[in-house]
Amino acid sequence: MKLTKFGHACVRVEKDGKVLVIDPGTFTRDPVLDGADTVLITHEHYDHVDVEKLKAASPELEIWTCEAVAANLAEVPGKVQVVRHGDDFETAGFQVRVFGEWHARNHPDIPVVQNVGFLLDDELFYPGDALTVPQAEVGTLLVPTGAPWLKLGEVVEYLREIRPARAYSTHDALYGELGYRLVDGWLKMEADKQGADIRRIPVGESTTLS
């Protein structure tokens, strides 16, 4: 699988000529859906789903997401399918398992929304806006590193609980240059401690998961 980091919380995964995109939100300015076969959406927040992007996409596009997001996609031409914790399905040649139900607690006055995480080909896990620990081994983790609901200590504890061979930063557009230096430093310390490939992939760059 080839993994490419797009803006903030969006990644594009390619395998055998097929393209899967996760969480193409409004912070992602690039034409990330060009050539996409399927989209996975973890939850309803605008930085993870851009309805206008989906409206303009091909009607052949498959969209897999939780019930709350699906309810807002009535005008989207693609095929929208609802998934829940414990489900598994195949799309565009990818085997996908679903873990998690709820977004991390954010603000006392903001309701907690549905949030599902996706495990691709028993290798790549994307938790969305939660620190979900799936009941499965994870080779590659996309780890959130910047959010109002998140603390550095929680990121480190999450990495140590999952102990992936590879972990790459996501949910990090809120940082500026100095913030990215901090993230890079934190991830390098944990990479050295665990002897793993833990780092931030700059937007637009790719890595191959063997």
Side-chain angles (χ1 to χ4, degrees), residues 3 26 44 52-53 55 73 77 96 100 107 126 128 140 179 183 206:
L3 172 71
T26 57
E44 65 192 68
E52 296 305 312
K53 276 192 184 71
K55 285 182 181 179
L73 301 183
V96 184
H107 185 286
Y126 187 103
T140 304
V183 171
S206 304

Side-chain angles (χ1 to χ4, degrees), residues 48-60:
H48 292 258
V49 55
D50 185 338
V51 177
E52 296 305 312
K53 276 192 184 71
L54 296 174
K55 285 182 181 179
S58 166
E60 301 301 316

Side-chain angles (χ1 to χ4, degrees), residues 3-56:
L3 172 71
T4 303
K5 171 68 182 292
F6 280 77
H8 188 51
C10 179
V11 296
R12 181 176 169 116
V13 186
E14 301 172 58
K15 184 186 73 170
D16 298 333
K18 298 293 186 179
V19 177
L20 179 151
V21 176
I22 307 177
D23 281 5
T26 57
F27 291 176
T28 302
R29 303 298 183 187
D30 307 274
V32 68
L33 295 183
D34 285 2
D37 297 287
T38 191
V39 169
L40 309 181
I41 301 170
T42 61
H43 65 285
E44 65 192 68
H45 291 157
Y46 65 88
D47 55 330
H48 292 258
V49 55
D50 185 338
V51 177
E52 296 305 312
K53 276 192 184 71
L54 296 174
K55 285 182 181 179

